[in-house]
Amino acid sequence: SVLNHKQCESYCSDLLSRIALNDNKAGMEGLDRDKINKIILETSKGSKFYENELKKEQQVNQRIEKMMEQKARITKEQLKQAQAEVDKLTCELERSRELGRVIVHVDMDAFYAAVEMRDCPELKDKPMAVGSMSMLSTSNYHARRFGVRAAMPGFIAKKLCPNLVIVPTNFDKYRAVSAQVREIFSEYDPHFMPMSLDEAYLDITEHLEERKHWPETMRTYYICDAKTGNDADRSAAESERDELSPVLFEDSPSSSPSLSGADRKAEVFGTSAEEAVREMRFRIEQKTSLTASAGIAPNMMLAKVCSDKNKPNGEYRIPPERQVVMEFMKDLPVRKVSGVGKVTEKMLAALGIVNCDQLGQQIALLSLLFSGTSWHNFLHISLGLGSTCIERDSERKSMSTERTFVEMSDAEEQYSLCRDLCQDLAQDLQREGLKGKTVTLKLKNVKFEVKTRAFTLQYAVCTEEEIFAAAKDLLKVEIDSVSPQPLKLRLMGVRVSGFISAEDKKPLQRSIMGFLQKGGSDSGSFTQCAGSVLKAEEDSDGASFLKPQATEMKVPSVSDYVNKPAVLKPSFKISTQVSESRTLKSSSHDPSCNEEKPSTSISVPLVETDEDGDFKTPFFSHRTKTNGKRSVLSKKKMPVCESSSKASPTTHNLEAITEMSSDSNGSSLTCPVCSQPQSTDDLALFNRHVDMCLNQDVLLEFRESHPPVGHSDEPALKSVRGQQGSSPLPPSKKPKVLSTKHTIDKFFKGNAGQKV
DNA sequence: ATACATACC
DNA sequence: TACTGGTATGTAT
């Protein structure tokens, strides 16, 4: 009602901005959009995917409506005041405008497709794309004429272009080519920042400074005869080729002997930025037979826009002058700016903002409608400002793995898949030496609705068992929440984040084995433990973990929790301490607890930790194989404490610990729960055993007081038994994975910029 | 801290 | 038949 007709039409008329062709990218000019959209629509209509996209679209429209209502409530006064603030900030930004750096954004043209075409001449004159029937990564320019583009499913692309050739991805190859290209980048900026396999930012300011004094010979490159391009690079082309993976060249024409100097055509490049970049692109093409486009500008935001301007195989430069920058921005559609996606574009369009000039005119209004970070960003964009320094790749913040598959409804299968994901993720984490405290489970059901559920542990984890312990609980809550209906999933993913910093990980490499084997002489007796709390754990409840009187605590039984709402809090807090009077703590999930998360604390006298008390070696793990021998400990000694999320984690000293720490008998360890000597030296195995015992105790209790009654609990119980008993989860029917992995840059990005 | 959405390649 | 996977960050609670 508050909307005028025009405003309404600007977004209501088009409910399909998410489905329709995205012709934002290069190579998509002047095609028959209506015809293409009609085909896309007809192919998509009625699918689950389409329905979900419609729903999301409605959400965006609602967001826009809310925004318009808010806009309608803005007074002239408010706007005037906002304008004053904006003007002030604009002034400051203008004063600090930095035009002195020469930033380059280089982008390989239709990278994956170009590599495949290079290696298979058959494809040269055909419309082709890289990917699968389910999803395309890239298309060549020929295919783009049909509206076929990246991120489009192959089966739709086929409707648009029945002759489309779809080539499966070949990441090893793209990585190898990327490495070649990056070698060239590093000669112009050793600190260049790779953004993906085919894209990077460079700061060539220093290079240009030096280049000014270079003789022509240093700026001369030779074109080699054939289009193999493998010989042309001035520096060591031959040796480079030998170092490369043979697959790269197995299809290439066998390298002809180098042409003599007289036969070579030389090209001398100038000393300007354009020339330097043209030289770089020339070398890339000579070395890989692939073309790149580039943008040159005083900052990254502009350089990125510029690299798109003369794509493919072109470059564009914005000279370092304010006037020219502003002129360039004036007609630039906001959508062209990196970070402005289709939703932002649509919201701005609803306000009548399409290009950056209009954006600049409306900053005051935007400051009243958007968050601080958002409108500041808009202001920067409208002024043509952007980052002027290519920062070192910052530390990774999360790591994840996810998989799409045919509809999966069986809980056992889901748990099993979850474990597989955890295993993969654990491997990746360990490869990078990372441990994180937050585990996130991602689910997408067959209606394409996505859910994420996260859980932050007390300590950082990196093993399959630890991650799975958390992930499977998250999964269980979701399964239970729809029970007795099954979860019908099409995707599952697991992520670990909240990494502990590098310094946190380093310091303590103290060997827990050495400690154990020494026996109890100087180690944690209870009195020592109790009296030497250095850093009392301030948990949310503020309770110290290591109170001697904790042994006296009332011990609730598992049945106390059964009918309470599920509480997702870390359970099994294990309070530990080393002899140097340091207090340490850890926790983990209790895999045996189906209904609730009882929290249990025990004190053990030793553990390997880092400075923050995070476990260096996981003390408890959850995929345990042991005899199912019931704990000899009574409830009083094996406390299970409050289920409430606010409940104090309490500390209980296990008498069995005395046995353990006084067992100076070589390396054999005694389980503090079941009192059985363990034959292993391997702490991980020992931990598993202890963990198992604790869980077994709780589980048995639970099952005694609650004989299995219904479907609802049954699968989970089974699954828990599976984890605990000598037989793991039933062998999984391996889900059929639908799509190929499209991005594996995570193994590649990092480090690449730091060489040289 | 969690959930969900947006964005990028 | 069939609409990705990995990471970061913004927005809202």
Side-chain angles (χ1 to χ4, degrees), chain A residues 145-178:
Chain A
R145 303 313 304 166
F146 294 84
V148 173
R149 48 157 303 141
M152 179 181 278
F155 69 92
I156 289 179
K158 278 279 198 182
K159 289 265 165 77
L160 292 172
C161 174
N163 292 324
L164 182 73
V165 180
I166 298 180
V167 179
T169 50
N170 217 325
F171 272 104
D172 289 338
K173 209 153 75 170
Y174 314 144
R175 268 199 298 275
V177 180
S178 184

Side-chain angles (χ1 to χ4, degrees), chain A residues 522-570:
Chain A
D522 74 301
S523 56
S525 77
F526 288 150
T527 46
Q528 274 174 333
C529 278
S532 60
V533 177
L534 239 199
K535 182 173 147 197
E537 293 299 334
E538 290 189 9
D539 214 27
S540 50
D541 58 356
S544 167
F545 264 55
L546 292 172
K547 291 178 183 157
Q549 65 270 31
T551 43
E552 258 60 333
M553 294 252 332
K554 163 184 186 295
V555 178
S557 85
V558 174
S559 52
D560 292 358
Y561 315 121
V562 178
N563 293 313
K564 294 178 187 163
V567 180
L568 270 182
K569 275 280 170 186

Side-chain angles (χ1 to χ4, degrees), chain A residues 403 405 408 410-424 441 464 468 471-472 475 479 489 492 494 623 715 718-720 722-723 728-735:
Chain A
R403 230 162 276 162
F405 35 78
M408 188 191 286
D410 178 55
E412 289 302 327
E413 210 180 341
Q414 289 165 355
Y415 281 115
S416 170
L417 172 70
C418 181
R419 181 185 289 290
D420 290 348
L421 290 167
C422 292
Q423 185 179 10
D424 289 358
L441 179 75
E464 173 193 342
F468 181 63
K472 70 145 230 309
L475 176 57
I479 289 175
L489 301 180
M492 191 186 297
V494 180
R623 196 199 206 163
K718 265 198 293 187
S719 111
V720 167
Q723 293 142 31
L729 282 172
S732 58
K733 313 149 219 175
K734 286 286 172 199

Side-chain angles (χ1 to χ4, degrees), chain A residues 63-103:
Chain A
R63 223 174 120 185
I64 289 172
E65 236 169 273
K66 247 163 98 182
M67 179 182 74
M68 298 307 278
E69 285 168 20
Q70 228 186 309
K71 184 195 167 198
R73 285 198 297 269
I74 292 172
T75 64
K76 282 198 170 148
E77 283 297 299
Q78 286 175 301
L79 204 58
K80 211 178 139 190
Q81 198 190 328
Q83 189 63 58
E85 283 178 42
V86 168
D87 290 346
K88 211 176 105 192
L89 182 52
T90 302
C91 216
E92 276 174 46
L93 289 173
E94 198 53 71
R95 254 187 293 126
S96 60
R97 184 191 289 267
E98 157 90 68
L99 293 165
R101 312 293 318 176
V102 182
I103 308 294

Side-chain angles (χ1 to χ4, degrees), chain A residues 338-497:
Chain A
S338 178
V340 178
K342 53 185 162 199
V343 173
T344 310
E345 175 189 33
K346 193 171 173 178
M347 297 218 292
L348 292 176
L351 297 166
I353 298 168
V354 174
N355 62 41
C356 292
D357 185 45
Q358 296 163 332
L359 186 69
Q361 303 293 318
Q362 299 294 327
I363 299 292
L365 173 64
L366 295 173
S367 77
L368 298 170
L369 297 175
F370 288 78
S371 73
T373 38
S374 284
W375 77 260
H376 283 131
N377 184 233
F378 292 145
L379 180 58
H380 276 82
I381 292 169
S382 69
L383 293 170
L385 297 171
S387 177
T388 54
C389 80
I390 299 204
E391 311 155 47
R392 265 191 61 72
D393 232 0
S394 58
E395 299 278 291
R396 164 199 286 288
K397 295 186 178 62
S398 74
M399 191 183 270
S400 66
T401 186
E402 69 187 52
R403 230 162 276 162
T404 295
F405 35 78
V406 291
E407 174 173 339
M408 188 191 286
S409 306
D410 178 55
E412 289 302 327
E413 210 180 341
Q414 289 165 355
Y415 281 115
S416 170
L417 172 70
C418 181
R419 181 185 289 290
D420 290 348
L421 290 167
C422 292
Q423 185 179 10
D424 289 358
L425 183 56
Q427 203 172 50
D428 293 350
L429 284 166
Q430 285 162 31
R431 184 156 32 221
E432 290 194 27
L434 292 169
K435 294 175 137 206
K437 299 168 83 155
T438 302
V439 175
T440 304
L441 179 75
K442 174 176 171 179
L443 303 174
K444 190 192 290 182
N445 66 20
V446 291
K447 285 151 71 184
F448 285 86
E449 295 161 337
V450 177
K451 240 183 216 177
T452 60
R453 292 290 178 264
F455 188 94
T456 301
L457 302 158
Q458 236 61 30
Y459 64 107
V461 298
C462 69
T463 66
E464 173 193 342
E465 289 80 11
E466 294 166 318
I467 300 166
F468 181 63
K472 70 145 230 309
D473 280 354
L474 295 168
L475 176 57
K476 184 186 180 320
V477 170
E478 296 311 306
I479 289 175
D480 289 352
S481 76
V482 295
S483 164
Q485 256 76 49
L487 277 184
K488 296 171 145 191
L489 301 180
R490 75 173 341 262
L491 171 145
M492 191 186 297
V494 180
R495 175 163 71 246
V496 168
S497 54

Side-chain angles (χ1 to χ4, degrees), chain A residues 224-289:
Chain A
C224 209
D225 158 60
K227 293 205 160 69
T228 66
N230 293 330
D231 279 353
D233 205 277
R234 178 177 57 86
S235 54
E238 254 99 338
S239 65
E240 266 162 16
R241 189 182 58 243
D242 293 338
E243 286 160 23
L244 286 165
S245 150
V247 285
L248 246 179
F249 295 96
E250 65 189 5
D251 293 332
S252 319
S254 60
S255 52
S256 50
S258 277
L259 298 167
S260 69
D263 293 340
R264 291 183 168 204
K265 278 182 244 159
E267 176 140 13
V268 182
F269 294 89
T271 57
S272 68
E274 286 100 324
E275 282 291 286
V277 171
R278 204 167 62 78
E279 173 189 288
M280 179 163 57
R281 295 195 301 111
F282 173 84
R283 291 177 61 188
I284 290 170
E285 186 171 1
Q286 291 298 309
K287 191 172 182 177
T288 67
S289 302

